[in-house]
Amino acid sequence: MADSLQHSALQAAPAAQGSYDGPHDGLIPAVSTGVFVCVHGHFYQPPRENPYLDAIEKQPSAAPYHNWNERIHHECYRPNAYARILNDRGEVVRIVNTFEYISFNLGPTLLSWMERYDLETYQRILDADRNSCQRLSGHGNAIAQVYNHIILPLAKPRDKVTQVRWGIEDFRRRFGRQPEGIWLAETAIDYPTLDVLHAEGIKFTILAPSQVQRCRPLVSYNGERDSWQEVGGGQIDPSRPYRCFLKHADGTPDPSRYVDVFFYDGPISRDMGFNDVLSSSQHFVGRIGQAIHGDHRPFQLISVATDGETFGHHRGGAEKALAYAVTEEFPRQGWTVTNYAHYLATHPPTWEAELKPVTAWSCSHGVDRWQDDCGCGGGGEWHQQWRRPLRDTLDWLRDKLVAVYEEHGAALLRDPWAARDAYVAVMGDRSPASLSAFFKAHQTRKLSPVERVTALQLLEMQRHALFMYTSCGWFFEELSRPEGTQILRYAARAMELAGEVAGIALEQEFVQRLGHAPSNVTDFQDGAGVYKTLVKPSRISLEQVVAHYAMGSLFTDYHREQTVYCYTVEQHDYRRQRMGPMSLAVGQVEITSTITRESLNLAFAVVHLGGWDFHCGITTVRSRLAYTRAKAAVFDSLGQASAAQVILAINSAFGPHTYGLQDLFAEERHRMMGLLSQDTLLRLDQLYAQVYRDNYGVLRAFHRDGLPVPKELQVAADIALSHRAMEVLQALERETSDPAASPLRQGEDYLNELEAIATEASTCNASLSLAAAKPMLERLIGRSVWQILNQAPTESLAADVDWLGRLVNLGQQLNLGLSLERPQELYYQHLNRQVFALLKQAAVSRKPLGQDSRAQVNDILRLGEYLSMDVGAVLKALDHLDPGRPA
């Protein structure tokens, strides 16, 4: 009886199948057909960080998100880590981590960003690999990637090695194991690249079917090998792995050196990206089924590969079709979901292949897309004549930087190139302990702090020299796109670091050479124009960072040690004073780069004259006495209540270089502009509120009689009600911000008022502007769900659930389009770990739930309904356990 009850609970709805974090029970087919399916996702974003800030600046084209990494993350990466399977009412039946069921690589530059931005999703991806290892005999779904996506056939041999070693070491640090396979940028390959993969212990890679020239069986019959089969037109059979042998110096194959290759199914992979194959799991299954050979072979692999961003970003909702296909549809067909490493271990190659000399999956001309005007990636009328001069210019710079690195690195590092390979450990962990371990292993002798800075500057110079070859810079039709601009930013930073170490000036000739790269945009004319217009203004000095800090200090109370992007600002002295409309601050700070550890002692004086007028002077600290005198002189000038005198004093004591609001980092400038506008906006809000109150009756009369409302009156209603709603919502958030200190429903009065405002807005047909309300209410709902699920059972549970329901309904009343994803994930986890455990316990003991437990479960189920969760499995299990329970 107990087993049947437990089985009933598990089978009542797919939501209960498998644990929240473990693999889905239905994944392995009951009857295998010998068909194995491997779906590979290449998840990657180029490095977008400003090399001077180590942070991605705001990208307006990514709105409503801060930057494109964030936007794609919320459209693809997180939705795949928490993929929804829905019922016909749009309720969540199950949440699937698709990374557990597909082969994948995530670029190290993307994972580095994700680790900082969304640790939850990052951890789900690591867990997915660990769970797939458990399911597939130690062979995980994740494979490595060359570090920052450079085209390896175009790279120098030493750079090839570094890129592969960096990719492998980054993978080992994150996933805790050695990678078996690696993804090559654009699947670009040649035999020297294959040689590097073998030397670094890589077992396999994935290529396009167009990249192979010929193949034949490995086994010989009667002492004679089968003849080669020419498949250069893409006729390779992708349902099996192939062995690619490296060659001796005389050109003969070396049987001891090889890398295995999987060729993805080209037609299906193209359809995934460009047709409607992923519009539903049924379409996906049907398309996969068309590739199955009907020749009764005992086993075959259906291998497909596409950009991982296809699942959710390029094709909205495709992650749901993928999740249902790999957990339900494929097993139902008798197909085994696998990954390349597991298939290779159980079905080693029986064929060998020879590759074409130099190829990539996205260029039909070898790798010319990243060096010549070959037409690939063209924009119709636009040429790509800039590609060759750009690569030639970067190659010239690379060679100049190599000379600087070898000359100055030899005195500090035992083997500068081995140190560069090992530097990836520091790139992933810049803590003092990590730095100490690195220098202990690679320094020629115990280095002084200044020498350590020089060594780090050299290594960072090399890091940026590699980053300037990120493939995206050539991929599209125009040099001045963000991708091209970004790689030139890395070049600029590398040249600056070379200048700091060696006193070498490279920029003038670099820009001159860029002048040979013609732009399609008239305003830029050529690469030199792109560099001067888009790259140079993004360069940031330590003085600019301190100016940013100084102006911000007038509006923000900084800590004694404050982090500003990738810098630490330690405050040695600070004084702020206001007089009339003017605010003055003078300070002395030490600014240190968290990357190169270079530091500088600077003093500043900044005055805000009111409105948009700021004046800031920065100077080096010559002595404590000189700073004290300068500080006194500036504050003495403030006593004269003359803006001109204050500015003259700042220029005299802290000049001659001065900074204004326009010199701030864009986001800080925009934040301060918002602060400076608050008083004006508040006065306008009060004015509109008065107009709305005075004319409320008239406005209602227009609406009651169906007459067009005067625009001025309707705008007053829109602004007044929007302002009231935001004020009350902010108060509600403050009141409930600490669940541990306050009862969940502490803000009852505020919630009542918000509901009344929503009703009033509906009556007045008001169009509310509540962009900031959506994230606030989502945070409040998330906190409320967390508190309900984690508190000990109390008599207030039913009332708390009702409160949560009112919050969700409020979002609907205000037309906020709330996202309930995170509360749903919390709820799903609780449902699987707590509620089903309770039901199983009751089933095993053969005792119905007690009255209190039954009431608790019923309240939790009501919570699920508010969150659009399908709770049918629990309801059916309860009916089975206690048929006479009240509905």
Side-chain angles (χ1 to χ4, degrees):
M1 176 67 175
D3 288 342
S4 65
L5 286 176
Q6 183 175 354
H7 182 75
S8 172
L10 287 171
Q11 295 300 318
Q17 295 180 8
S19 67
Y20 177 71
D21 290 316
H24 175 44
D25 293 342
L27 185 64
I28 304 300
V31 178
S32 176
T33 60
V35 174
F36 294 79
V37 180
C38 180
V39 178
H40 182 82
H42 164 51
F43 296 86
Y44 164 73
Q45 292 301 312
R48 291 189 166 99
E49 289 80 4
N50 182 325
Y52 294 88
L53 299 177
D54 195 34
I56 304 176
E57 297 167 291
K58 187 174 180 64
Q59 297 174 310
S61 61
Y65 296 98
H66 178 271
N67 58 65
W68 276 102
N69 275 21
E70 281 190 21
R71 177 167 173 174
I72 298 170
H73 178 80
H74 287 282
E75 293 174 351
C76 174
Y77 309 132
R78 188 174 179 93
N80 273 281
Y82 297 92
R84 267 67 172 165
I85 292 177
L86 308 176
N87 62 20
D88 56 2
R89 299 185 300 276
E91 297 170 332
V92 177
V93 174
R94 192 164 78 250
I95 295 177
V96 172
N97 186 347
T98 64
F99 292 101
E100 285 191 25
Y101 307 111
I102 67 171
S103 171
F104 66 88
N105 68 281
L106 276 103
T109 54
L110 171 59
L111 282 174
S112 296
W113 173 86
M114 192 184 298
E115 187 177 11
R116 288 189 284 184
Y117 178 75
D118 186 352
L119 192 58
E120 239 180 4
T121 298
Y122 174 76
Q123 191 59 51
R124 287 276 287 184
I125 292 170
L126 303 189
D127 292 344
D129 181 70
R130 186 180 64 251
N131 291 339
S132 65
C133 280
Q134 294 172 357
R135 178 168 60 86
L136 297 171
S137 306
H139 301 285
N141 286 344
I143 67 172
Q145 180 197 293
V146 293
Y147 194 84
N148 62 278
H149 217 260
I150 76 172
I151 303 301
L152 290 190
L154 294 175
K156 288 286 188 180
R158 189 161 43 213
D159 293 346
K160 279 185 170 73
V161 171
T162 297
Q163 280 284 306
V164 172
R165 287 181 179 173
W166 280 6
I168 290 173
E169 184 54 38
D170 186 86
F171 183 96
R172 290 176 57 187
R173 180 178 71 85
R174 297 181 192 281
F175 293 97
R177 63 179 180 86
Q178 185 74 14
E180 297 184 70
I182 196 167
W183 181 267
L184 302 172
E186 305 294 335
T187 71
I189 196 166
D190 58 3
Y191 273 91
T193 297
L194 206 65
D195 205 347
V196 172
L197 300 189
H198 170 265
E200 299 303 322
I202 294 297
K203 294 180 180 178
F204 71 87
T205 190
I206 307 157
L207 299 178
S210 60
Q211 295 180 265
V212 61
Q213 184 60 52
R214 57 183 186 169
C215 63
R216 66 179 177 180
L218 277 170
V219 179
S220 61
Y221 297 96
N222 300 321
E224 295 183 6
R225 296 291 303 275
D226 281 2
S227 59
W228 287 101
Q229 299 177 18
E230 294 295 323
V231 290
Q235 301 95 339
I236 190 79
D237 180 357
S239 66
R240 60 169 72 100
Y242 295 82
R243 183 147 291 171
C244 287
F245 291 100
L246 295 161
K247 297 180 180 180
H248 294 293
D250 62 3
T252 58
D254 182 348
S256 67
R257 295 191 307 131
Y258 57 83
V259 175
D260 294 331
V261 174
F262 290 90
F263 297 99
Y264 61 79
D265 187 296
I268 300 179
S269 299
R270 281 193 297 272
D271 287 348
M272 290 168 65
F274 300 103
N275 291 331
D276 63 350
V277 167
L278 294 172
S279 61
S280 73
S281 58
Q282 291 81 10
H283 284 169
F284 192 23
V285 168
R287 187 66 183 89
I288 292 288
Q290 293 173 10
I292 296 174
H293 293 277
D295 53 6
H296 305 293
R297 62 182 69 185
F299 47 81
Q300 56 187 300
L301 175 70
I302 309 302
S303 160
V304 296
T306 187
D307 287 336
E309 290 75 20
T310 300
F311 305 116
H313 172 58
H314 299 312
R315 299 199 170 277
E319 80 283 352
K320 298 181 181 68
L322 175 67
Y324 196 74
V326 295
T327 60
E328 293 287 339
E329 295 279 11
F330 291 175
R332 190 175 296 133
Q333 300 293 328
W335 304 340
T336 301
V337 176
T338 189
N339 62 42
Y340 293 113
H342 181 253
Y343 191 84
L344 190 62
T346 54
H347 303 87
T350 57
W351 286 62
E352 68 172 308
E354 282 192 356
L355 304 179
K356 294 177 181 178
V358 183
T359 55
W361 77 339
S362 55
C363 180
S364 57
H365 311 91
V367 291
D368 283 352
R369 184 169 188 161
W370 298 275
Q371 63 179 351
D372 279 316
D373 185 8
C374 69
C376 292
E381 297 179 0
W382 280 10
H383 63 76
Q384 292 83 53
Q385 296 170 17
W386 50 270
R387 284 177 176 164
R388 169 57 64 182
L390 174 62
R391 181 162 288 276
D392 289 345
T393 300
L394 293 180
D395 287 349
W396 170 84
L397 176 59
R398 176 201 60 207
D399 294 342
K400 292 290 185 181
L401 297 176
V402 164
V404 171
Y405 186 66
E406 289 184 331
E407 177 185 351
H408 294 269
L412 306 172
L413 303 167
R414 285 201 294 266
D415 182 341
W417 296 111
R420 184 181 78 164
D421 290 342
Y423 186 60
V424 66
V426 176
M427 289 156 52
D429 176 11
R430 296 190 181 276
S431 66
S434 173
L435 278 176
S436 294
F438 173 81
F439 280 114
K440 184 177 180 180
H442 295 282
Q443 62 191 358
T444 55
R445 52 185 163 72
K446 186 174 178 58
L447 302 181
S448 69
V450 172
E451 288 174 321
R452 279 194 171 198
V453 168
T454 301
L456 288 172
Q457 287 174 327
L458 286 167
L459 289 159
E460 278 297 299
M461 178 189 75
Q462 279 297 306
R463 178 170 78 98
H464 287 96
L466 286 171
F467 272 37
M468 72 189 186
Y469 283 106
T470 301
S471 68
C472 311
W474 287 267
F475 192 80
F476 299 101
E477 73 279 9
E478 167 56 20
L479 171 60
S480 61
R481 279 179 56 101
E483 299 84 4
T485 302
Q486 185 70 15
I487 64 172
L488 290 178
R489 282 180 164 191
Y490 293 127
R493 179 59 175 153
M495 287 187 288
E496 183 176 87
L497 288 165
E500 291 177 6
V501 171
I504 184 172
L506 298 170
E507 187 177 57
Q508 183 176 351
E509 186 170 351
F510 180 81
V511 173
Q512 182 180 350
R513 288 171 176 268
L514 278 180
H516 298 292
S519 169
N520 290 284
V521 180
T522 305
D523 289 349
F524 299 122
Q525 293 188 348
D526 51 38
V530 173
Y531 187 89
K532 293 171 184 175
T533 306
L534 299 179
V535 176
K536 290 192 73 170
S538 68
R539 292 163 62 170
I540 294 166
S541 65
L542 295 180
E543 288 80 3
Q544 282 177 281
V545 178
V546 171
H548 169 102
Y549 174 93
M551 285 182 263
S553 74
L554 293 172
F555 300 90
T556 305
D557 292 325
Y558 288 139
H559 298 293
R560 185 170 183 82
E561 187 171 286
Q562 183 74 32
T563 298
V564 181
Y565 293 98
C566 60
Y567 302 93
T568 300
V569 182
E570 185 179 357
Q571 194 180 97
H572 294 311
D573 182 66
Y574 183 79
R575 180 184 170 191
R576 182 173 58 194
Q577 184 176 331
R578 292 183 174 84
M579 178 174 288
M582 289 190 292
S583 297
L584 175 66
V586 177
Q588 180 186 349
V589 298
E590 181 178 5
I591 179 171
T592 303
S593 165
T594 58
I595 296 177
T596 63
R597 303 292 170 167
E598 60 183 311
S599 64
L600 198 59
N601 281 294
L602 295 171
F604 65 82
V606 57
V607 62
H608 177 216
L609 305 171
W612 312 104
D613 292 331
F614 290 81
H615 190 79
C616 177
I618 307 288
T619 188
T620 54
V621 178
R622 297 186 299 276
S623 69
R624 185 176 299 178
L625 178 60
Y627 167 73
T628 301
R629 287 173 174 170
K631 174 182 173 183
V634 171
F635 276 106
D636 286 346
S637 70
L638 184 65
Q640 301 177 39
S642 167
Q645 291 300 318
V646 173
I647 291 173
L648 287 172
I650 290 175
N651 290 347
S652 174
F654 293 86
H657 300 295
T658 58
Y659 302 85
L661 185 64
Q662 71 278 3
D663 298 307
L664 282 179
F665 306 154
E667 290 176 57
E668 180 68 5
R669 181 170 67 249
H670 297 160
R671 185 184 75 87
M672 290 179 63
M673 289 166 63
L675 291 172
L676 294 169
S677 301
Q678 281 184 350
D679 289 342
T680 300
L681 293 175
L682 180 60
R683 289 194 296 271
L684 288 172
D685 285 330
Q686 292 170 344
L687 175 62
Y688 281 115
Q690 185 66 46
V691 172
Y692 173 64
R693 286 194 299 268
D694 291 348
N695 295 277
Y696 176 74
V698 176
L699 183 67
R700 287 295 310 277
F702 274 102
H703 282 297
R704 184 180 59 247
D705 293 342
L707 298 174
V709 180
K711 182 178 180 179
E712 294 79 3
L713 292 183
Q714 190 62 58
V715 168
D718 296 347
I719 294 177
L721 290 173
S722 298
H723 181 66
R724 269 178 56 199
M726 286 304 305
E727 280 190 327
V728 178
L729 187 56
Q730 288 166 353
L732 176 63
E733 185 177 46
R734 287 193 300 270
E735 192 72 23
T736 58
S737 60
D738 186 2
S742 305
L744 185 62
R745 289 164 284 107
Q746 185 74 24
E748 184 82 20
D749 292 341
Y750 295 122
L751 182 55
N752 290 337
E753 187 172 354
L754 283 167
E755 290 170 336
I757 292 171
T759 301
E760 187 175 344
S762 177
T763 302
C764 296
N765 199 27
S767 177
L768 302 183
S769 178
L770 299 173
K774 181 177 183 290
M776 290 172 63
L777 194 53
E778 287 172 351
R779 286 194 300 269
L780 182 53
I781 290 172
R783 285 201 306 268
S784 300
V785 170
W786 185 90
Q787 187 173 353
I788 290 171
L789 296 178
N790 287 277
Q791 68 187 2
T794 64
E795 295 180 358
S796 69
L797 178 59
D800 289 343
V801 171
D802 290 338
W803 159 267
L804 187 281
R806 290 176 64 190
L807 289 177
V808 174
N809 289 335
L810 176 64
Q812 296 171 348
Q813 289 176 283
L814 295 174
N815 298 314
L816 295 181
L818 293 179
S819 168
L820 299 177
E821 290 182 353
R822 297 212 176 194
Q824 287 173 343
E825 291 151 14
L826 286 172
Y827 183 86
Y828 187 75
Q829 180 177 355
H830 181 85
L831 193 71
N832 280 274
R833 289 183 176 171
Q834 271 81 32
V835 176
F836 271 102
L838 186 65
L839 295 179
K840 289 177 184 178
Q841 182 180 359
V844 170
S845 66
R846 304 186 182 185
K847 295 180 181 179
L849 293 177
Q851 184 176 353
D852 290 344
S853 295
R854 195 163 55 240
Q856 178 188 353
V857 170
N858 282 331
D859 287 330
I860 294 298
L861 294 184
R862 284 198 304 116
L863 174 64
E865 291 171 348
Y866 285 129
L867 296 175
S868 297
M869 302 292 295
D870 184 343
V871 296
V874 184
L875 289 171
K876 290 180 181 179
L878 285 174
D879 286 340
H880 201 110
L881 286 167
D882 188 3
R885 73 179 184 88

